[in-house]
Amino acid sequence: MKFIFLGPPGAGKGTLAAKVAESYQIPHISTGEIFRAAIKNQTPLGKKVQAIIDSGALVGDDITVELVRERLAKEDAQKGFILDGFPRTIPQAEALEDIATVNAVVNFDIADEGVVERLSGRRVCKNCGGNYHVKFMAPKVENKCDKCGNELYIRDDDKIEAITHRLEVYREQTAPLIGYYQDKNLLVDIDARPATEIILKEFETKFPQA
């Protein structure tokens, strides 16, 4: 099956996508993964992306669309895929229609307060990179890593001001896709608040494997 995963930052799209990809034997394709692979392989498009990123600019729709086209043409994506982080805008969604037909657009439904609670509570070890959460996966000793005992910190991306900005960008650029896909009868809402295993069961009920 061919899916698009939609939802705000912190909704758990990537975590669920990894589990669905394993269970359904289809690739989880994120724009970040596409960019990194193209740069690593030094494809003509990869060299263009490298130059754009090095200049500090954002990769435009035209190159992003071509990279997605290139990725979806690979053999592992012929039976199905999960697109995560693409499309981000309606022009990208329109361009995707010329590349592939999707079965469903899964919208991870979560209020802004839930996103803020998840992201602002994350803590990372400065030394070993271990991940924690003050509410959902707290370290045994406050602000100390269980593995190496070093100090935990809040990433800049997880500070309240940054989260608020990311949510504003999402609402402005990506949220209009909800209505776009609703009009096409492709949108399926999933409650993104429970634990990943519960969401996975709901997903498998909605989309049984053949």
Side-chain angles (χ1 to χ4, degrees):
M1 295 188 78
K2 298 174 180 178
F3 300 105
I4 293 169
F5 278 13
L6 271 186
K13 300 186 300 297
T15 305
L16 188 73
K19 292 191 175 293
V20 171
E22 185 181 351
S23 175
Y24 287 59
Q25 293 295 290
I26 54 177
H28 167 209
I29 300 168
S30 70
T31 42
E33 177 256 334
I34 294 174
F35 290 167
R36 284 190 294 273
I39 291 167
K40 183 183 175 185
N41 296 330
Q42 285 292 286
T43 65
L45 281 171
K47 289 175 182 175
K48 281 186 184 178
V49 170
Q50 182 75 68
I52 293 165
I53 291 171
D54 287 348
S55 74
L58 294 172
V59 180
D61 277 1
D62 52 346
I63 292 179
T64 303
V65 167
E66 283 312 305
L67 282 166
V68 170
R69 187 191 304 276
E70 201 175 73
R71 178 64 184 87
L72 293 184
K74 292 186 184 293
E75 191 178 338
D76 68 337
Q78 298 318 296
K79 290 181 181 176
F81 53 76
I82 302 159
L83 278 175
D84 171 13
F86 182 93
R88 285 187 187 274
T89 62
I90 288 180
Q92 287 185 359
E94 290 170 341
L96 178 61
E97 286 170 19
D98 292 330
I99 301 171
T101 303
V102 299
N103 298 105
V105 178
V106 182
N107 179 42
F108 286 68
D109 193 20
I110 185 169
D112 287 1
E113 303 80 59
V115 169
V116 171
E117 181 183 45
R118 278 187 186 180
L119 297 184
S120 65
R122 291 201 298 204
R123 299 291 184 271
V124 183
C125 176
K126 286 182 175 179
N127 180 54
C128 72
N131 284 285
Y132 299 88
H133 192 283
V134 293
K135 182 176 180 181
F136 305 119
M137 200 169 66
K140 290 171 186 170
V141 178
E142 190 176 350
N143 283 326
K144 297 287 182 187
C145 178
D146 292 351
K147 297 170 192 169
C148 66
N150 276 271
E151 194 180 344
L152 306 180
Y153 76 103
I154 305 172
R155 297 186 321 169
D156 287 344
D157 256 10
D158 292 336
K159 290 177 179 172
I160 298 288
E161 307 78 25
I163 297 166
T164 304
H165 175 67
R166 289 163 71 194
L167 283 168
E168 283 169 1
V169 170
Y170 172 77
R171 299 292 172 211
E172 183 184 320
Q173 293 184 357
T174 310
L177 288 169
I178 294 169
Y180 179 84
Y181 283 118
Q182 216 159 22
D183 290 345
K184 294 179 179 291
N185 294 317
L186 287 170
L187 196 79
V188 179
D189 286 326
I190 278 201
D191 185 354
R193 292 171 301 173
T196 305
E197 295 307 324
I198 295 169
I199 302 172
L200 180 62
K201 281 181 183 172
E202 184 188 348
F203 184 94
E204 289 173 337
T205 301
K206 287 178 187 283
F207 305 106
Q209 297 188 54

